[in-house]
């Protein structure tokens, strides 16, 4: 057996770095652990991820003395991009509007904590959605400013050399409907490589496609999706190892993705970046509240061959 290290960089004291093996490991959903989170990477800096995959060759005979097979080492670099959101609001803009009922009594409205908190909660909720959209659709969507700067998983799987390694459906689909949804999903699963077909997998799709598939299953008399199912996910009938997930990060996307746990990698500085919002300061002279937060985001796909993707043309 030989080591193929041609794609590795020269040794630079990286013996402590973690390696990922090409195996199927257990995890949960997108929010609960299905995506591998690599945090602690500052925006503008990078971190190398090391992978290896072994191929075994079996020879006849009891006393074989010729080595065969190989172990291939590769590495990929995670390099998140840093973004800052900085905004200001003035509560007195709402004095003559319906929202004034939420303002405190008195002529002085500066530093209105209730309104400031409501604004902060709204910003955090939107930041979470934007973060997910960028992770999936970066460089394939203009949904927000970050999406035009960071390559998301779909871009890497469709628009880069990774596309030659992924698997897809045998047939070509221009749309997903209640008439073809089940056949489309079965077609994608049928083309999954043997090393992942029996393990845990998630089928990720937009909420619109998710609802279409549920209606198709209902029309086909698969009405009972199981008591453990939620409005965002269900176990695919006939495939106890596959969970169908409506992922908000795929909103408006025309792609459906099938993959295994820990294969999609998210690079960030802090796992709670999107929650780390501060009411920066209050300017009582101008009755303004300033909000600011920063986040770093980058993406990678560990093993593109373990990803199935079909995009409606």
């Amino acid at each position: 057996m030989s080591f193929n290290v041609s794609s590795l960089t020269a040794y630079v004291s990286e013996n402590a770095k973690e390696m990922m093996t090409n195996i199927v490991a257990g995890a949960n959903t997108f929010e609960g652990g299905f995506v591998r989170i690599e945090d602690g990477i500052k925006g503008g800096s990078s971190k190398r991820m090391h992978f290896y995959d072994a191929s075994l060759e079996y020879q006849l005979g009891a006393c074989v003395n010729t080595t065969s097979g190989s172990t291939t080492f590769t590495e990929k670099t995670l390099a998140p991009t840093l973004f800052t959101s900085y905004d200001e609001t003035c509560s007195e803009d709402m004095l003559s509007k319906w929202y004034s009922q939420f303002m405190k009594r008195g002529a002085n409205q500066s530093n209105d904590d209730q309104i400031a908190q409501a604004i902060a909660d709204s910003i955090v909720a939107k930041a979470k959605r934007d973060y997910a959209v960028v992770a999936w659709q970066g460089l394939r969507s203009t949904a927000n400013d970050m999406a035009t700067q960071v390559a998301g998983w779909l871009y890497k799987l469709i628009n880069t050399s990774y596309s030659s390694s992924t698997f897809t459906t045998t047939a070509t689909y221009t749309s997903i409907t209640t008439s073809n949804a089940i056949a489309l999903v079965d077609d994608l699963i049928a083309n999954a490589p043997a090393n992942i077909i029996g393990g845990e997998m998630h089928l990720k799709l937009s909420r619109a496609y998710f609802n279409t598939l549920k209606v198709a299953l209902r029309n086909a008399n698969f009405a009972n999706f199981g008591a453990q199912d939620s409005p965002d996910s269900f176990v695919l009938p006939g495939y106890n190892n596959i969970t169908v997930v409506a992922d908000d990060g795929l909103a408006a996307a025309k792609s459906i993705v099938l993959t295994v746990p820990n294969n999609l990698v998210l690079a960030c500085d802090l796992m709670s970046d999107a929650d780390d919002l501060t009411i920066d300061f209050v300017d009582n002279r101008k009755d303004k509240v300033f909000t600011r937060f920063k986040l770093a985001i980058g993406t990678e796909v560990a093993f593109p061959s373990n990803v199935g993707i079909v995009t409606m043309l």
Side-chain angles (χ1 to χ4, degrees), residues 9 45-49 51 75-80 156 299-300:
T9 57
S45 62
S46 62
K47 175 181 179 180
R48 291 175 185 165
M49 293 189 68
F51 310 89
E75 68 181 16
K76 296 177 181 179
T77 301
L78 296 173
K156 293 187 174 183
T299 66
E300 189 51 84

Side-chain angles (χ1 to χ4, degrees), residues 17-40:
K17 295 294 184 181
E18 181 180 2
M19 288 188 176
M20 278 185 64
T21 59
N22 192 2
I23 60 174
V24 179
N28 296 316
T29 63
F30 181 73
E31 295 179 343
F34 191 83
V35 171
R36 182 183 181 91
I37 306 293
E38 289 291 333
D39 59 354

Side-chain angles (χ1 to χ4, degrees), residues 93 109 126-127 150 159-160 189 217 250 274 308:
D93 289 342
Q109 296 298 328
K126 189 175 189 309
V150 176
N159 299 98
T160 72
I189 296 171
L217 291 167
L250 287 169

Side-chain angles (χ1 to χ4, degrees), residues 161-210:
S161 59
Y162 288 179
S163 63
S164 62
S165 299
T166 61
F167 61 92
T168 187
T169 55
T170 301
T172 300
Y173 297 87
T174 59
S175 64
I176 180 171
T177 67
T178 55
S179 299
N180 69 7
I182 296 176
L184 185 157
V185 171
D186 286 341
D187 191 351
L188 183 62
I189 296 171
N191 286 283
N195 65 302
I196 70 170
I197 194 62
E200 179 187 359
M201 290 187 284
H202 278 199
L203 185 73
K204 302 280 192 174
L205 62 176
S206 69
R207 195 165 296 276
Y209 286 177
F210 177 86

Side-chain angles (χ1 to χ4, degrees), residues 30-31 125-126 128-137 141 143-144 153-154 204-208 210-211 231-232 245-253:
F30 181 73
E31 295 179 343
K126 189 175 189 309
K128 288 181 178 179
R129 180 186 178 279
D130 288 346
Y131 206 85
V133 169
V134 173
W136 275 110
Q137 302 185 60
S141 169
N144 58 66
W153 292 312
L154 289 184
K204 302 280 192 174
L205 62 176
S206 69
R207 195 165 296 276
F210 177 86
N211 291 335
D232 297 327
V245 180
D247 197 311
D248 289 335
L250 287 169

Side-chain angles (χ1 to χ4, degrees), residues 2-296:
S2 62
F3 283 157
N4 183 336
V5 297
S6 59
S7 65
L8 295 180
T9 57
Y11 173 76
V12 284
S13 301
E14 293 185 9
N15 56 305
K17 295 294 184 181
E18 181 180 2
M19 288 188 176
M20 278 185 64
T21 59
N22 192 2
I23 60 174
V24 179
N28 296 316
T29 63
F30 181 73
E31 295 179 343
F34 191 83
V35 171
R36 182 183 181 91
I37 306 293
E38 289 291 333
D39 59 354
I41 312 173
K42 299 295 183 184
S45 62
S46 62
K47 175 181 179 180
R48 291 175 185 165
M49 293 189 68
H50 294 156
F51 310 89
Y52 71 87
D53 188 17
S55 64
L56 300 178
E57 296 181 10
Y58 299 95
Q59 305 177 55
L60 293 172
C63 297
V64 175
N65 56 14
T66 302
T67 61
S68 64
S70 66
T71 297
T72 302
F73 290 84
T74 58
E75 68 181 16
K76 296 177 181 179
T77 301
L78 296 173
T81 303
L82 179 66
F83 295 94
T84 300
S85 175
Y86 184 41
D87 201 2
E88 65 177 72
T89 57
C90 179
S91 58
E92 291 194 358
D93 289 342
M94 299 184 287
L95 285 176
S96 62
K97 308 298 182 181
W98 176 82
Y99 289 96
S100 63
Q101 65 180 303
F102 296 107
M103 300 171 70
K104 66 184 181 181
R105 292 188 177 185
N108 181 16
Q109 296 298 328
S110 63
N111 195 12
D112 192 306
D113 294 337
Q114 183 177 4
I115 293 178
Q117 186 59 53
I119 292 171
D121 291 345
S122 175
I123 291 175
V124 168
K126 189 175 189 309
K128 288 181 178 179
R129 180 186 178 279
D130 288 346
Y131 206 85
V133 169
V134 173
W136 275 110
Q137 302 185 60
L139 296 190
R140 288 183 60 87
S141 169
T142 57
N144 58 66
D145 295 333
M146 294 188 296
T148 63
Q149 303 296 323
V150 176
W153 292 312
L154 289 184
Y155 181 86
K156 293 187 174 183
L157 292 167
I158 298 172
N159 299 98
T160 72
S161 59
Y162 288 179
S163 63
S164 62
S165 299
T166 61
F167 61 92
T168 187
T169 55
T170 301
T172 300
Y173 297 87
T174 59
S175 64
I176 180 171
T177 67
T178 55
S179 299
N180 69 7
I182 296 176
L184 185 157
V185 171
D186 286 341
D187 191 351
L188 183 62
I189 296 171
N191 286 283
N195 65 302
I196 70 170
I197 194 62
E200 179 187 359
M201 290 187 284
H202 278 199
L203 185 73
K204 302 280 192 174
L205 62 176
S206 69
R207 195 165 296 276
Y209 286 177
F210 177 86
N211 291 335
T212 298
L213 179 56
K214 290 197 76 169
V215 172
L217 291 167
R218 182 192 65 194
N219 293 345
N221 296 319
F222 292 105
N224 183 12
F225 296 118
Q228 77 280 10
D229 299 326
S230 72
D232 297 327
S233 65
F234 62 87
V235 176
L236 187 63
Y239 302 93
N240 292 335
N241 61 317
I242 300 177
T243 301
V244 181
V245 180
D247 197 311
D248 289 335
L250 287 169
K254 294 185 177 182
S255 297
I256 297 175
V257 176
L258 178 69
T259 190
V260 297
N262 294 321
N263 201 31
L264 302 177
V265 183
L266 177 70
C268 60
D269 189 2
L270 183 67
M271 290 180 66
S272 60
D273 267 344
D275 294 321
D276 192 19
L277 180 143
T278 59
I279 305 299
D280 207 26
F281 62 89
V282 178
D283 189 338
N284 289 322
R285 295 169 300 173
K286 298 180 180 180
D287 298 310
K288 291 182 178 180
V289 177
F290 294 82
T291 56
R292 180 200 301 267
F293 71 92
K294 296 183 179 182
L295 55 82

